[in-house]
């Protein structure tokens, strides 16, 4: 079975084509600058060089058409025909309280995703464009949606409610939803395999540290608490997002700096975090380089970033009353020995003992970076959200075939 995985943003669209017999990626790529006359489509057939084309792509339907054209291209394509695609799986950021797992797309599901536009105005409308674009190009092909929030629907009320008037939850569904769920679920399962223990008896803290960052307390295989909240702004300090701040700062800063709501929202989402403190970059690689060159602001940004992550790890160890392993994943988590070392060096009270050599080694594999003696294991597990989307899509299509 061949499954096309799509992550549609407002002006870009990433894709991967899977062959599910061996879970191989046949091709991947993206279309960027959708809406412009110089949109860039890139295509990477497995094991072959990347192809890049610049053309006018004004909306998502044309972007999907472009992806399909590339997949069946005579010279570099990987499919004989578009009919070879059995299903399409989409990443959808917000599933609200309605979705605790992946589902086949039908009119009710589309209506529900639309209803959630308010909660994820930057993401869900773009995903919907992706779903409609697939429908327009391949009306017969079943589609599945996989939600970033779904894994976190197991959180208990003490984790997901905010201590504000209940009417806001009851009327407007203001609560913690959490994000990166697909990644936290995937790395938790891999962690159990690496530890050779059943996931159902483990207490894990999964740290997904990329441009966006969140950490999750995973108890007995379920999300118990997570650092992102109603939106992906809460929690850890990130590349350009502030993470936790005193909410009273918002009206105060608005008054003092004469900011509109839109401006303060943009400040906290796009002009805060590593970028704001370092004054250099939101990219951890540049922060580390500047630190090494002696830049004090970069050093402060790194220190705050690490400190805030470590505080969450401490909090979640207390929340679960114990901890078996800490898992690092995503761009920074997988690739920065410096961050992992800074965090772990200050967690000796929990029984964390880092194996410095294993931490410094580069590898694309799942691996342990704590010593044999360490009471809490530390793991690095490369995430693979696309694979989870492909697997869920595959499973739902198989279920449907069995039912029919
Ligand atoms: P996204 O949240 O956009 O999916 P990623 O998970 O790909 O992001 O993470 C991207 C971030 O990973 C970059 O901003 C960069 O800071 C960080 N990163 C990538 N490679 C390294 C590295 N070798 N060392 C430190 N940080 C890295």
């Amino acid at each position: 079975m061949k499954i096309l995985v799509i992550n549609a943003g407002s002006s870009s669209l990433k894709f991967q084509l899977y062959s599910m017999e061996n879970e191989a990626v046949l091709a991947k790529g993206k279309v960027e600058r959708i809406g412009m006359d110089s949109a860039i489509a890139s295509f990477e057939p497995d094991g072959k060089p990347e192809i890049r084309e610049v053309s006018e792509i004004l909306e998502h339907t044309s972007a999907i058409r472009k992806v399909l054209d590339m997949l069946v291209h005579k010279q570099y394509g990987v499919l004989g025909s578009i009919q070879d695609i059995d299903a399409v799986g989409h990443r959808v950021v917000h599933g609200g309280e309605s979705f605790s797992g992946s589902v086949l797309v039908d009119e009710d599901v589309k209506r529900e995703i639309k209803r959630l536009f308010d909660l994820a105005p930057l993401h869900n409308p773009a995903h919907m464009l992706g779903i409609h674009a697939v429908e327009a190009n391949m009306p017969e092909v079943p589609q599945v949606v996989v939600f970033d929030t779904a894994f976190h629907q197991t959180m208990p009320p003490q984790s997901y409610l905010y201590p504000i008037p209940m009417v806001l939850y009851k009327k407007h569904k203001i609560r913690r939803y959490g994000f990166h769920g697909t990644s936290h679920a995937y790395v938790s399962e891999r962690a159990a395999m690496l530890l050779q223990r059943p996931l159902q008896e483990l207490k894990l803290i999964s740290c997904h540290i990329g441009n966006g960052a969140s950490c999750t307390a995973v108890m007995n295989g379920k999300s118990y608490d997570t650092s992102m909240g109603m939106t992906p702004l809460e929690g850890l300090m990130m590349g350009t997002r502030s993470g936790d701040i005193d909410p009273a700062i918002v009206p105060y800063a608005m008054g003092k700096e004469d900011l509109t709501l839109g401006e303060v929202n943009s400040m906290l989402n796009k002009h805060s975090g590593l970028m704001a403190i370092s004054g250099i970059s939101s990219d951890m690689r540049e922060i580390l380089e500047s630190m090494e060159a002696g830049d004090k602001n970069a050093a402060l940004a790194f220190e705050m970033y690490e400190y805030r992550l470590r505080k969450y790890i401490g909090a979640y160890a207390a929340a679960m009353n114990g901890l078996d392993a800490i898992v690092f994943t995503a761009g920074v988590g997988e690739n920065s020995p410096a961050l992992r070392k800074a965090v772990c060096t200050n967690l000796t009270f929990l029984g964390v003992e880092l194996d410095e050599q294993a931490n410094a080694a580069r590898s694309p594999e799942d691996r342990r970076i704590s010593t044999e003696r360490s009471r809490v294991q530390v793991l690095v597990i490369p995430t693979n959200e696309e694979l989870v989307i492909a697997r869920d899509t595959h499973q739902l299509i198989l279920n449907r075939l069995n039912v029919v």
Side-chain angles (χ1 to χ4, degrees), residues 27-164:
K28 62 183 176 184
K30 54 183 179 247
V31 182
E32 292 167 286
R33 298 155 61 103
I34 299 171
M36 300 204 187
D37 52 11
S38 58
I40 305 163
S42 51
F43 185 72
E44 217 183 308
D46 183 39
K48 299 207 188 112
E50 188 185 63
I51 287 118
R52 279 167 77 87
E53 286 176 16
V54 177
S55 62
E56 182 182 86
I57 298 178
L58 294 179
E59 30 60 53
H60 286 66
T61 304
S62 312
I64 292 286
R65 161 78 15 219
K66 182 77 197 168
V67 171
L68 297 176
D69 286 349
M70 292 192 293
L71 286 169
V72 298
H73 196 276
K74 281 211 164 54
Q75 270 101 49
Y76 57 75
V78 294
L79 291 178
S81 144
I82 290 169
Q83 268 81 49
D84 294 344
I85 300 173
D86 297 287
V88 176
H90 293 266
R91 175 199 182 205
V92 173
V93 163
H94 221 306
E97 287 189 325
S98 319
F99 301 104
S100 56
S102 306
V103 288
L104 276 160
V105 174
D106 61 17
E107 289 309 313
D108 287 343
V109 168
K110 283 195 286 187
R111 220 179 348 262
E112 198 53 29
I113 296 173
K114 233 181 232 166
R115 218 179 47 81
L116 296 164
F117 277 8
D118 261 3
L119 283 174
L122 299 178
H123 294 100
N124 276 25
H127 304 320
M128 200 53 147
L129 290 173
I131 293 167
H132 283 143
V134 170
E135 254 172 25
N137 282 289
M138 326 151 79
E140 304 303 324
V141 174
Q143 303 193 68
V144 165
V145 277
V146 179
F147 300 94
D148 276 26
T149 48
F151 179 58
H152 300 299
Q153 280 297 302
T154 51
M155 285 189 291
Q158 74 206 50
S159 302
Y160 73 68
L161 286 176
Y162 291 112
I164 54 178

Side-chain angles (χ1 to χ4, degrees), residues 44 213 246 260:
E44 217 183 308
D246 179 346
T260 63

Side-chain angles (χ1 to χ4, degrees), residues 210-212 283-285 288 330-332 335-336 362:
N211 277 321
D283 190 309
M284 183 54 88
R285 284 165 292 201
L288 292 166
V332 182
N335 297 304
S336 176
R362 299 211 157 271

Side-chain angles (χ1 to χ4, degrees), residues 7 14 91 180 208-213 239 241 274 281-288 305 329-339 362 383 385:
N7 183 353
K14 292 188 205 148
R91 175 199 182 205
H180 294 142
H208 176 112
I209 317 291
N211 277 321
R241 285 174 239 166
L274 285 176
S281 172
S282 61
D283 190 309
M284 183 54 88
R285 284 165 292 201
E286 289 181 46
I287 300 293
L288 292 166
Y305 191 87
T329 193
V332 182
E334 290 167 30
N335 297 304
S336 176
L339 178 80
R362 299 211 157 271
T383 193
E385 289 155 290

